[in-house]
Amino acid sequence: VSGPGPVLVVEDDGDIRDLLLSHLARLGYEVRGVPTGEAALQVAAAERPSLVVLDILLPGIDGWEVARRLRVEPGLAGVPVVIASILDPPPAGDAPVEPAGYLVKPFRAAQLGELTARLLGCTGPAHPDISSESGC
Amino acid sequence: MHHELDRATTDFVASVSHELRTPLTSIVGYVEILADEDAGPLNPEQRRLLAAVERNGQRLLALIDDLLVLSRIEAGTLRLARAPFDLAALVASARQAVLPGLAGRALAIEVDVPEALGPLEGDAGQLERVLLNLLSNAMKFSPEGSAITVRAWREGGQVHVAVADEGIGIPFEEQSRLFERFFRSSLARERSIQGTGLGLAISKGIVERHGGTIAVDSKPGKGSTFTITLPLGAPR
């Protein structure tokens, strides 16, 4: 379905980035976290992520711009993008790039688990409690 | 001038509400990890303390969501869906959603809503928010052993939905201010009943955006009835 690379978390708030990375690691995914959109594009080109979890309000280029550039990059165009933002989702059809999923912060661990299970299936030595909650 | 100031306040409230979601994400997220015992086992006392943090985090979250909805209503930017909806199903769904709050209480919710009252159109999700507000208010102010009733009927070109309780009621002189934002009845404050004073302001805004009205009829010590009136057919 998607590349064999890590789940890439793009989030400038360090505590929220660690929270996302910790949830994803417990779900059994290999993870990678970066604080800016520019860093995200570099890491994505080098590591071919299987999924990108993307904040919108970032220093430098914003999340929508990151999603748009991924979409036109050969080899990265098919990588699913999940937006995780304090902003409510734009109405259907109004998003600059249609994301594969949208989480409004604060989110629950189970919501993230459901999204990753739907988009990635269940990989790796998943944590037994969370994987059963997310239907793996 | 006045309008510009109102507009600036509304924008400010919307921005602040959004910004509050950032720290709250870490607070409720890490509390969830602790409460799920993913960071190690908890003793009963620690579990009780964490439950209080979690409960109040959710309260803050609900307050932020209410502030956002109200700021959108006041800025005229609340987007409403416009689709036919089934009032009986809407009431049933709202009742279902508040049932957990009845656990351990001697309180009944009786529903008398006929099927097919006539064609209604609007945003079912937002109208359900109104019913949830009215039902949860009724539950907060109702004594044990009493009943809450939801009735709906058609009259002329309108549908009326009334949520009635047998609770503490609202002093007559306060009733005209009840739908103002942050207004709370003196009886609610005296009894330390939780609330933000935003629910009825939001409800009024949503109902009016549907071309309808909301009104209160209440006697202290006897109970309160809130009646929504919606035009049949398409909203304006």
Side-chain angles (χ1 to χ4, degrees), chain A residues 56-132:
Chain A
I56 295 177
L57 304 175
L58 293 165
I61 59 171
D62 73 8
W64 291 121
E65 180 60 19
V66 174
R68 197 190 59 77
R69 293 196 197 174
L70 288 173
R71 202 53 63 90
V72 296
E73 192 67 36
L76 293 174
V79 176
V81 169
V82 169
I83 301 283
S85 175
I86 57 170
L87 303 174
D88 293 320
D94 275 13
V97 174
E98 212 52 57
Y102 201 109
L103 290 171
V104 177
K105 295 169 184 166
F107 50 85
R108 292 200 161 268
Q111 289 174 289
L112 182 66
E114 278 160 25
L115 273 176
T116 53
R118 172 162 68 78
L119 297 169
L120 294 176
C122 305
T123 60
H127 186 287
D129 297 346
I130 297 190
S131 55
S132 62

Side-chain angles (χ1 to χ4, degrees), chain A residues 15 19 26 86 88 105 109, chain B residues 21 25 30 32 38 72:
Chain A
D15 288 333
L19 178 69
R26 271 182 297 111
I86 57 170
D88 293 320
K105 295 169 184 166
Chain B
R21 283 178 171 172
T25 300
Y30 286 110
E32 186 182 14
D38 283 326
R72 284 194 197 114

Side-chain angles (χ1 to χ4, degrees), chain B residues 156-200:
Chain B
Q158 294 176 319
V159 165
H160 303 264
V161 187
V163 177
D165 66 58
E166 301 165 347
I168 60 176
I170 301 143
F172 184 72
E173 64 278 12
E174 294 180 2
Q175 291 179 14
S176 62
R177 301 193 54 202
L178 208 54
F179 297 96
E180 291 174 14
R181 61 182 165 182
F182 297 115
F183 182 81
R184 300 205 65 219
S185 148
S186 57
L187 298 180
R189 282 183 279 117
E190 277 162 21
R191 286 165 174 74
S192 298
I193 295 173
Q194 277 180 13
T196 59
L198 292 177
L200 287 176

Side-chain angles (χ1 to χ4, degrees), chain B residues 72-228:
Chain B
R72 284 194 197 114
I73 288 171
E74 296 190 346
T77 55
L78 181 72
R79 285 187 294 260
L80 287 182
R82 186 175 162 167
F85 67 90
D86 176 358
L87 184 64
L90 201 66
V91 171
S93 163
R95 181 177 182 276
Q96 193 65 34
V98 299
L99 279 184
L102 290 184
R105 296 196 59 187
L107 193 57
I109 299 182
E110 287 153 16
V111 173
D112 177 16
V113 179
E115 305 272 328
L117 277 169
L120 283 164
E121 243 184 59
D123 191 317
Q126 294 294 349
L127 290 170
E128 183 169 348
R129 181 195 290 274
V130 174
L131 288 172
L132 286 173
N133 276 332
L134 297 182
L135 281 173
S136 67
N137 279 349
M139 287 161 62
K140 276 193 252 181
F141 299 110
S142 287
E144 299 303 308
S146 71
I148 295 165
T149 55
V150 185
R151 287 194 310 124
W153 68 97
R154 180 177 175 161
E155 211 175 285
Q158 294 176 319
V159 165
H160 303 264
V161 187
V163 177
D165 66 58
E166 301 165 347
I168 60 176
I170 301 143
F172 184 72
E173 64 278 12
E174 294 180 2
Q175 291 179 14
S176 62
R177 301 193 54 202
L178 208 54
F179 297 96
E180 291 174 14
R181 61 182 165 182
F182 297 115
F183 182 81
R184 300 205 65 219
S185 148
S186 57
L187 298 180
R189 282 183 279 117
E190 277 162 21
R191 286 165 174 74
S192 298
I193 295 173
Q194 277 180 13
T196 59
L198 292 177
L200 287 176
I202 289 172
S203 299
K204 181 172 192 275
I206 292 171
V207 169
E208 288 180 349
R209 282 286 309 277
H210 282 81
T213 58
I214 184 167
V216 61
D217 178 26
S218 178
K219 284 194 186 68
K222 296 276 185 198
S224 303
T225 301
F226 287 84
T227 307
I228 303 165

